[in-house]
Amino acid sequence: MSGLARTYRGADGAAGPLLFLHRTAQVALGEWVTVTMPGAPDRRGQVIDAGEAMTVVQVLDDTLGLAPGRAAVTLTGEVARAAVGPELIGRALSGVGRPLDGLPAPIGAALRPLNGAPMNPARRLRPSEFIETGISAIDGMNTLVRGQKLPVFSGPGLPALELAAAIVEQARAPRGEPFAVVFAGIGITARETRGFLERFAKSGALERSVLYLNQASDPTIERLLAPRMALTAAEYLAFECGLHVLVVMADITHYCEALREIATARQEIPGRRGYPGYMYTDLATIFERAGLLRDRPGSLTQLPILTMPDDDITHPIPDLTGYITEGQIVLSRDLHRRGIFPPVDVLPSLSRLMNAGIGRGRTVAEHRPWADQLYALYAAGREARLMAAIVGEAGLGAADRRALAFAERFEREFVAQPDGGRRLDETLGTGWRLLEGMPREDLTRLSDAIWAAHAEPPNRHTAEPSG
Amino acid sequence: MTDPRTARIRRVTGTLVEAAPLPEVGLYELAVVGHQRLLGEVIRLEGDLATLQVYEDTNGLATGEPVVPTGRSLEIELGPGLLGSILDGLGRPLPDLARTHGDFLPAGAEAATLDPARRWDFTPVVAAGAAVSAGDLLGTVEERPGFQHRILVPPGTAGVVATVASGPLTIREPAVTLGDGTPLYLSHRWRVRQPRPVAERLGDDRPFLTGQRIFDFLFPVAEGGTVAVPGGFGTGKTVIEQSLAKWADADIIVYIGCGERGNEMAEVLSEFPELADPRTGRSLMDRTIMVVNTSNMPVAAREASVYLGMTLAEYYRDQGCRVALMADSLSRWAEALREISARLAEMPGEEGYPTYLASRLGTFYERAGRVRCQGAPERTGALTLITAISPPGGDFSEPVTQACLRVAGAVWALDPSLAHQRHFPAVDWETSYSEYLARTQPWFEREGGAGWGAARRRLVELLQRGRELKEIAALVGPDALQDEDRLILESARLLRELVLAQSAYSATDASSPVGKTLALARLGLALHDAAAAATAAGRPLERLDLTGARRALAALRDAGPADWPGLVAGAEVAVREVAGREVAGREGGP
């Protein structure tokens, strides 16, 4: 990359968000571009195809009224960078880093390239520390672990953002270590933005948060930058400032739509449902920025939210996400309809790193069999519910009837929970209470030793001190 | 300053670079691209314009920067020091890159696969005057404690030995010199896309023991065979690949993490050195080579990584080792191929994949096999290939899965509904199959125990019948079934839990010896027979007490390799007691 700025008078074509330049020299892929036109604010863009014969610039701002012939295009000689640093905490910025809170633009402690660099897998530290989210269906059944990327699979109209907000408010580091939240709003509506901001301000979460808000009214193309801005800032806070950073990104579906829009504008060969064939790789460059590094104190945990179009989990967006992330939290329309909050369906939900974060010294020794037992009974109850729909409840065997009743209680008393969150010991206690209501022979996943220890505990339902 | 003959970048688009003039380069030749010295491979030539796929991040690469051909194609240096190493898709050791470049991977970093300074104690077996040809043994070095690395004459080389060195040598000092002056070193370079030659391909009648009951018992794979493991996300492909890497009966394991998760690789990298090789008791890393190209690392290197891993596996096979190659996941490799093809504006085939997808996959699978190696002394080697496949939406009709199914000898199909029931390995025993079944059965009858084939057949029948009855029960309710049928449902469930399910995280049952596998199946079936005899004699199913026998069988399943043989007799008694008591119960009964 040259490092020198060069200005071309007049571009040779434009289509959608793209601008075409003929006969350019020394243009670099990813080079940052400014486009000026008399009487219009400066626009910014990025080189997405660098060629001597033709260069393609992706314009980040609205291209309405952009006349290529009258525009001056400056190739800056720099790649896209973000200002990063601890001073960003408490700020609200646009998806491309402009202040939205009326304060001056952040200068930052450093400027970092937006794309980052992949972590060396040999330097990664295996995630193993429990994060308490205050949500029973997560803490108990699908435990979130530091350095994990655990998406929420939502559907249109389901309260995914409320769940994210609750997690942000309630999340606790096990030993009260320094903790920060980076929120990337991607194409979210003004209503959602306002609701989120108000909740954040009221709970005080804003003071430890950095917000990057790309709203639905902002140019589509900025959606591609917003998560990278947020992650570049988060990486700095995590690995240079030693904070434990939780990155919430909503909504990844809007991000993928933007990716498809640009691919189509470039006349690329479409893959499944019109999404570009490289969507997996592209999403991986976002999600894989979660993790921990050896000999560095901080961590970067991701909680991306995506909306499954038509609640279809096989749609390319949830499908490719599921292949990259370490599990998923799936929201259920059925539970939501019945007024259960958070409407987490624990059966298709999964935390792949759960085993690394639970057990003796982390949560409690019997966490795994306890969760397996709840899961098995609930799964049996759901199966019985299906069967009851066909043969009627009276047609069920005695064990199936018990499982069915258990499933009802599990949903109403364990999954559903009051505002403010449950501590882990409350979550465990709630689960035990449900299990105690069942005959011993139904509890096949609990060994006699665990059952006996629970029945006559020295200190019942209490989490062991960690460390 | 600018030499007009130097090739310059004309265009950068994604991972592709067009450069000219390059009139002399050949296809698949490597070139150094740009000021950052990125590595690229020529994949298309038109006149003097060459298109290169660049193996590293191309952001910041500009038109006008130089491109210098190297005259070589993508190669790996093969020699002692590979075992235990963790390489990226281009063969660079990742720990070395961390030492020189820090925690994040830069573009254009250089690191040698093998340490050129390390000395190996070479024990020659040839003397001056001996005529040698490709594959002949020159001598050995102890690569890892207990592992003798055979130094062979590289393929395509022959001559009469002139001088022989011995004692501590680096890979840059000649071990043997031939009469025509050709030096032979402890290492040599090989093009990763080119299969290494063998003397003869052999049959596949020896099983590759996985330690996983469902595979060894129901869907065995032969040594030198190929397996496709298709499954949607969350069905446990990676856990299966890792279990096999830990427990499978092989001399050498090559594990390719191709476009997968970084945290998973971190888990493998922290866990493997701690684990003991079940056969030697030494660190598992001593028999393992990792090739790691996570999903966010450059996509062209992902495409190359599977060939790199295959070449490493072939190299050890040529030494007479039994090698297992795990590739997780081939779908990510195919996607890399699609991405590159799309950027080349090639005419797409199904779902945008290039039309050569199936032929490339076929050629790759065919590099597996049990072989007679080239050269003397005579030896056989085997390369068993286990490939994970990640079909979008879990839909097996997609092109990558279908192309793999056509060439793989065994298919272990993973089922999300089993995974949701937390039944692992979540292998669907109806859609899975193995073409090695018939040829490997004699070995199992001989080594696993008599009755292996009969027990297997009965188990499959019972499972099949169980599934049919389950569908009926879902319509009419289980209470509407006859006792006999309800018992089949119960027994099918029990055998699933006893034989088919196996916890990869169990300290004692993560690997199951064939004897234990057969004992569990045999006793599970015997328990079914005992209960069936009782119900047939009119005893209601509700009044059968099977708890003791079930407990004994579960204890047998959960027992470790040293303990399980001692529990067989007790379990047999418990099963017999069911029969005995039930018969007695009938006699003295109501």
Side-chain angles (χ1 to χ4, degrees):
Chain A
M1 180 153 301
S2 62
L4 295 172
R6 296 132 292 152
T7 301
Y8 290 82
R9 302 269 157 217
D12 299 283
L18 305 181
L19 197 61
F20 304 97
L21 290 173
H22 290 170
R23 289 171 302 283
T24 52
Q26 292 174 7
V27 194
L29 191 69
E31 190 167 347
W32 202 234
V33 176
T34 49
V35 182
T36 49
M37 226 176 71
D42 285 3
R43 294 174 170 97
R44 294 185 286 181
Q46 211 174 356
V47 172
I48 55 171
D49 191 336
E52 287 181 344
M54 185 172 75
T55 286
V56 184
V57 175
Q58 171 177 295
V59 182
L60 294 167
D61 301 278
D62 199 348
T63 49
L64 179 72
L66 178 65
R70 288 191 285 128
V73 181
T74 304
L75 303 167
T76 61
E78 307 270 348
V79 288
R81 285 169 206 272
V84 296
E87 66 169 84
L88 267 71
I89 294 177
R91 299 292 311 264
L93 307 164
S94 78
V96 286
R98 292 197 186 105
L100 293 179
D101 47 12
L103 298 172
I107 295 162
L111 283 173
R112 289 291 156 90
L114 280 192
N115 283 333
M119 279 185 206
N120 185 329
R123 292 296 298 160
R124 277 183 185 266
L125 185 69
R126 179 184 184 181
S128 65
E129 297 228 32
F130 164 67
I131 300 178
E132 191 182 289
T133 64
I135 306 289
S136 293
I138 297 177
D139 294 346
M141 308 294 288
N142 296 286
T143 313
L144 178 66
V145 178
R146 257 187 203 160
Q148 185 174 15
K149 40 199 180 291
L150 187 64
V152 177
F153 286 10
S154 179
L158 296 183
L161 269 178
E162 286 82 341
L163 175 61
I167 292 174
V168 165
E169 288 164 11
Q170 296 159 11
R172 287 200 309 181
R175 288 176 290 279
E177 295 99 326
F179 180 64
V181 174
V182 176
F183 178 79
I186 309 166
I188 61 174
T189 61
R191 177 177 47 78
E192 288 168 326
T193 312
R194 202 173 47 245
F196 206 77
L197 281 178
E198 277 169 7
R199 216 176 141 166
F200 260 49
K202 205 159 73 188
S203 68
L206 206 52
E207 288 156 28
R208 55 175 188 184
S209 305
V210 191
L211 307 179
Y212 288 90
L213 300 171
N214 164 270
Q215 301 187 38
S217 54
D218 290 335
T220 325
I221 211 115
E222 285 189 20
R223 317 224 202 292
L224 300 186
L225 255 60
R228 295 192 163 83
M229 278 275 171
L231 286 165
T232 306
E235 267 173 5
Y236 188 87
L237 292 175
F239 301 125
E240 316 256 341
C241 307
L243 300 179
H244 293 286
V245 184
L246 178 66
V247 181
V248 180
M249 296 182 282
D251 180 323
I252 293 295
T253 303
H254 296 152
Y255 174 87
C256 295
E257 303 289 355
L259 202 65
R260 176 166 71 175
E261 193 176 325
I262 306 307
T264 315
R266 294 180 67 186
Q267 306 193 332
E268 290 173 346
I269 296 166
R272 216 154 52 102
R273 300 223 190 164
Y275 293 96
Y278 50 78
M279 193 157 87
Y280 176 83
T281 306
D282 191 278
L283 285 174
T285 60
I286 293 178
F287 295 141
E288 277 292 333
R289 289 171 84 169
L292 298 92
L293 286 163
R294 285 166 204 266
D295 313 323
R296 299 215 193 197
S299 66
L300 199 164
T301 309
Q302 287 185 16
L303 200 70
I305 292 167
L306 63 83
T307 305
M308 298 184 281
D310 199 24
D311 293 353
D312 176 10
I313 202 169
T314 67
H315 184 280
I317 297 171
D319 189 50
L320 294 181
T321 300
Y323 274 122
I324 305 166
T325 55
E326 285 128 358
Q328 65 278 336
I329 301 293
V330 182
L331 301 190
S332 149
R333 193 165 295 282
D334 178 50
L335 292 177
H336 180 57
R337 233 180 250 136
R338 286 159 46 204
I340 287 168
F341 182 86
V344 175
D345 186 352
V346 302
L347 293 191
S349 298
L350 170 73
S351 164
R352 290 168 185 268
L353 301 181
M354 177 169 177
N355 282 345
I358 62 169
R360 191 178 298 282
R362 299 201 168 89
T363 55
V364 290
E366 68 278 12
H367 195 147
R368 175 44 71 190
W370 170 91
D372 282 348
Q373 186 59 69
L374 287 173
Y375 188 96
L377 279 171
Y378 181 57
R382 286 272 296 264
E383 205 169 310
R385 188 183 287 164
L386 275 184
M387 207 187 283
I390 302 169
V391 300
E393 220 176 303
L396 297 179
D400 282 339
R401 271 200 299 275
R402 284 199 300 274
L404 183 61
F406 176 87
E408 296 287 339
R409 284 191 69 194
F410 182 78
E411 288 167 355
R412 301 247 166 240
E413 296 171 33
F414 185 88
V415 176
Q417 62 180 67
D419 286 347
R422 282 199 191 114
R423 288 194 318 276
L424 178 67
D425 54 350
E426 294 170 334
T427 291
L428 292 167
T430 307
W432 276 122
R433 210 168 47 244
L434 293 178
L435 294 177
E436 282 158 9
M438 303 298 285
R440 175 73 183 97
E441 69 258 30
D442 282 2
L443 306 177
T444 51
R445 305 289 173 112
L446 298 179
S447 70
D448 291 341
I450 289 174
W451 185 247
H454 169 69
E456 297 169 41
N459 48 354
R460 187 160 164 175
H461 303 168
T462 48
E464 295 179 17
S466 52
Chain B
M1 177 187 126
T2 323
D3 181 346
R5 283 167 304 173
T6 306
R8 305 261 154 209
I9 296 176
R10 298 291 166 86
R11 183 178 177 207
V12 188
T13 171
T15 56
L16 293 188
V17 163
E18 289 174 7
L22 283 166
E24 299 284 306
V25 299
L27 269 182
Y28 302 111
E29 187 172 329
L30 292 183
V32 174
V33 178
H35 298 306
Q36 283 186 84
R37 301 185 57 78
L38 310 183
L39 205 57
E41 184 179 28
V42 177
I43 55 171
R44 177 185 281 182
L45 290 164
E46 284 165 273
D48 63 0
L49 181 76
T51 305
L52 298 102
Q53 64 170 342
V54 177
Y55 288 124
E56 310 196 52
D57 184 10
T58 48
N59 272 299
L61 199 60
T63 55
E65 291 189 26
V67 173
V68 183
T70 64
R72 294 214 290 228
S73 55
L74 188 61
E75 293 173 329
I76 171 105
E77 184 158 29
L78 300 166
L82 289 168
L83 289 182
S85 58
I86 303 156
L87 308 171
D88 76 354
L90 300 179
R92 295 177 294 200
L94 286 167
D96 292 359
L97 289 180
R99 258 194 300 282
T100 52
H101 293 82
D103 292 341
F104 293 88
L105 292 168
E110 284 177 39
T113 306
L114 298 176
D115 181 356
R118 177 149 180 197
R119 292 191 173 276
W120 300 94
D121 208 355
F122 177 60
T123 313
V125 298
V126 289
V132 293
S133 61
D136 286 353
L137 182 66
L138 295 174
T140 56
V141 302
E142 188 169 36
E143 180 174 3
R144 289 263 166 165
F147 181 78
Q148 294 297 324
H149 186 113
R150 296 190 169 105
I151 307 297
L152 307 172
V153 179
T157 310
V160 176
V161 174
T163 63
V164 179
S166 68
L169 292 178
T170 69
I171 53 170
R172 298 284 172 260
E173 293 163 328
V176 168
T177 313
L178 298 182
D180 61 1
T182 308
L184 301 180
Y185 301 92
L186 298 182
S187 71
H188 66 274
R189 304 183 72 86
W190 188 260
R191 297 178 174 184
V192 298
R193 294 186 195 277
Q194 188 179 351
R196 288 175 66 85
V198 299
E200 188 192 357
R201 291 180 69 98
L202 303 172
D204 40 18
D205 43 16
R206 226 192 103 91
F208 168 79
L209 295 182
T210 63
Q212 310 298 303
R213 282 186 289 275
I214 184 154
F215 304 138
D216 291 341
F217 198 55
L218 291 188
F219 309 109
V221 54
E223 248 178 27
T226 54
V227 188
V229 190
F233 66 81
T235 51
K237 290 181 299 296
T238 299
V239 176
I240 289 177
E241 293 272 8
Q242 289 182 7
S243 294
L244 262 53
K246 287 177 201 165
W247 307 113
D249 179 26
D251 301 322
I252 305 288
I253 304 281
V254 180
Y255 190 99
I256 311 172
C258 174
E260 288 291 309
R261 302 178 179 91
N263 279 336
E264 261 166 18
M265 293 320 298
E267 189 180 329
V268 171
L269 296 180
S270 71
E271 196 177 33
F272 273 40
E274 311 276 307
L275 285 169
D277 181 343
R279 299 165 323 128
T280 61
R282 280 187 289 272
S283 163
L284 207 52
M285 251 351 239
D286 280 357
R287 69 163 189 178
T288 309
I289 306 172
M290 299 272 178
V291 179
V292 178
N293 213 82
T294 55
S295 56
N296 57 338
M297 286 161 72
V299 70
R302 191 197 303 168
E303 195 270 329
S305 67
V306 301
Y307 295 105
L308 182 87
M310 179 57 88
T311 305
L312 292 167
E314 284 179 337
Y315 174 67
Y316 281 93
R317 174 206 63 192
D318 289 349
Q319 294 177 37
C321 296
R322 299 174 307 129
V323 186
L325 176 62
M326 319 288 169
D328 183 17
S329 125
L330 271 197
S331 295
R332 305 294 163 232
W333 168 82
E335 279 162 12
L337 210 63
R338 172 168 73 180
E339 198 170 324
I340 295 157
S341 165
R343 295 217 191 262
L344 284 169
E346 290 173 338
M347 183 71 80
E350 220 178 326
E351 294 205 12
Y353 287 102
T355 47
Y356 46 77
L357 170 72
S359 63
R360 292 257 173 108
L361 272 172
T363 330
F364 180 72
Y365 273 87
E366 278 303 284
R367 288 175 76 170
R370 201 163 79 87
V371 303
R372 186 161 64 77
C373 306
Q374 274 194 334
E378 180 144 330
R379 56 195 185 272
T380 57
L383 197 172
T384 311
L385 175 63
I386 319 280
T387 58
I389 302 160
S390 322
D395 171 15
F396 289 3
S397 68
E398 60 94 34
V400 181
T401 311
Q402 285 302 314
C404 291
L405 294 192
R406 282 199 295 277
V407 284
V411 172
W412 301 338
L414 304 185
D415 177 9
S417 72
L418 287 173
H420 284 170
Q421 294 166 36
R422 301 292 194 261
H423 173 99
F424 290 109
V427 177
D428 181 344
W429 53 89
E430 288 193 345
T431 49
S432 300
Y433 60 84
S434 167
E435 293 173 8
Y436 305 108
L437 184 61
R439 296 178 59 86
T440 51
Q441 286 309 288
W443 187 95
F444 282 113
E445 284 285 338
R446 200 169 61 241
E447 309 284 332
W452 180 279
R456 184 188 178 283
R457 270 190 303 280
R458 284 208 56 206
L459 178 70
V460 171
E461 273 169 26
L462 192 68
L463 290 172
Q464 179 62 37
R465 185 79 188 116
R467 187 165 279 195
E468 287 165 14
L469 287 168
K470 199 164 182 193
E471 280 166 18
I472 297 171
L475 290 176
V476 301
D479 286 347
L481 295 181
Q482 302 284 324
D483 267 8
E484 183 194 347
D485 288 343
R486 281 197 296 142
L487 175 66
I488 291 177
L489 271 178
E490 278 289 293
S491 297
R493 197 181 52 79
L494 177 73
L495 282 160
R496 269 176 53 182
E497 280 177 14
L498 272 184
V499 183
L500 303 192
Q502 193 173 352
S503 167
Y505 302 105
S506 161
T508 47
D509 191 40
S511 173
S512 179
V514 286
K516 178 173 153 186
T517 298
L518 180 61
L520 281 170
R522 197 169 50 75
L523 288 168
L525 290 165
L527 180 59
H528 172 74
D529 292 341
T535 46
R539 180 105 174 149
L541 190 57
E542 280 75 24
R543 299 190 44 194
L544 293 187
D545 181 15
L546 307 178
T547 327
R550 281 183 183 163
R551 282 221 174 128
L553 285 175
L556 175 61
R557 177 195 61 198
D558 296 335
D563 302 328
W564 73 265
L567 295 178
V568 174
E572 253 165 33
V573 169
V575 168
R576 259 204 312 273
E577 260 176 19
V578 167
R581 195 172 55 234
E582 294 314 330
V583 174
R586 180 169 57 90
E587 277 160 4

